[in-house]
Amino acid sequence: GQNIDQPTEMTATEGAIVQINCTYQTSGFNGLFWYQQHAGEAPTFLSYNVLDGLEEKGRFSSFLSRSKGYSYLLLKELQMKDSASYLCAVRDSNYQLIWGAGTKLIIKP
Amino acid sequence: GAVVSQHPSRVICKSGTSVKIECRSLDFQATTMFWYRQFPKQSLMLMATSNEGSKATYEQGVEKDKFLINHASLTLSTLTVTSAHPEDSSFYICSALEAPDVGEQFFGPGTRLTVL
């Protein structure tokens, strides 16, 4: 079966750095996405990785290792507004998105 | 990024009535649209995939006669919840793709459905 694993909840301090891991087992691979979702709102796109390596976009970076079925989202200089759920999703061989359950990130002052 | 709108953003209805939710891609043509449902503190659950001009493909366990999907044009898909019941209360989110094999899914803002 297809499976996406990510931690349920993480806590970090304002101004610090946090890494959210995601491991996956899917039928084929056509890219990995990270989305941010605030409570009661729809997800918003953060990053897309299809090749191995690190993609940096401002305070957020995403890493992919296809051989290990592993990705992480790195958030730097954490701000209170970064408190949200972070969803990892993999596009499989049918170009369908397989979603992780999300990681709730709590930022403390 | 591309914009997807949903209407209404919130709806409250009585049990047994039908509710229609619209999803529009505002600045691009969406060959494929997806409908998701999300219960509180749970992840997104794909309900169905619709391609313009063809019948929607429903995920296992989703009743196609209860959740009617119409994707009549490249910019509009509708989800109709027929004979709604309290257990249908949820957050319904649509997303759209310009082409099925490239790019990200663009999400609408979601519709909060409450069935009394």
Side-chain angles (χ1 to χ4, degrees), chain B residues 25-62:
Chain B
S25 56
L26 297 184
D27 52 0
F28 68 101
Q29 293 186 326
T31 57
T32 305
M33 286 186 169
F34 303 88
W35 286 97
Y36 293 89
R37 180 167 52 182
Q38 188 175 33
F39 294 106
K41 298 184 179 181
Q42 295 187 23
S43 188
L44 297 170
M45 291 174 47
L46 180 64
M47 298 175 67
T49 303
S50 76
N51 294 295
E52 186 266 340
S54 62
K55 288 184 179 180
T57 302
Y58 289 81
E59 295 301 300
Q60 197 169 14
V62 178

Side-chain angles (χ1 to χ4, degrees), chain A residues 35 37 42 45 91 97 99-100, chain B residues 36 38 43 100 103-105 107-108:
Chain A
Y35 284 85
Q37 186 177 26
F45 171 78
R91 191 156 58 193
L97 274 184
W99 292 88
Chain B
Y36 293 89
Q38 188 175 33
S43 188
E104 65 187 87
Q105 288 187 20
F107 283 86

Side-chain angles (χ1 to χ4, degrees), chain A residues 86-99:
Chain A
Y86 291 85
L87 307 173
C88 173
V90 173
R91 191 156 58 193
D92 67 9
S93 56
N94 294 319
Y95 292 96
Q96 189 166 110
L97 274 184
I98 311 300
W99 292 88

Side-chain angles (χ1 to χ4, degrees), chain B residues 63-112:
Chain B
E63 300 173 59
K64 59 183 178 182
D65 293 332
K66 180 172 182 63
F67 298 99
L68 303 178
I69 292 173
N70 185 289
H71 192 162
S73 78
L74 284 171
T75 59
L76 173 64
S77 176
T78 60
L79 168 68
T80 302
V81 183
T82 62
S83 187
H85 292 286
E87 58 265 30
D88 298 323
S89 298
S90 187
F91 192 43
Y92 291 86
I93 309 171
C94 74
S95 69
L97 271 177
E98 280 189 85
D101 58 342
V102 294
E104 65 187 87
Q105 288 187 20
F106 299 100
F107 283 86
T111 298
R112 175 76 58 192

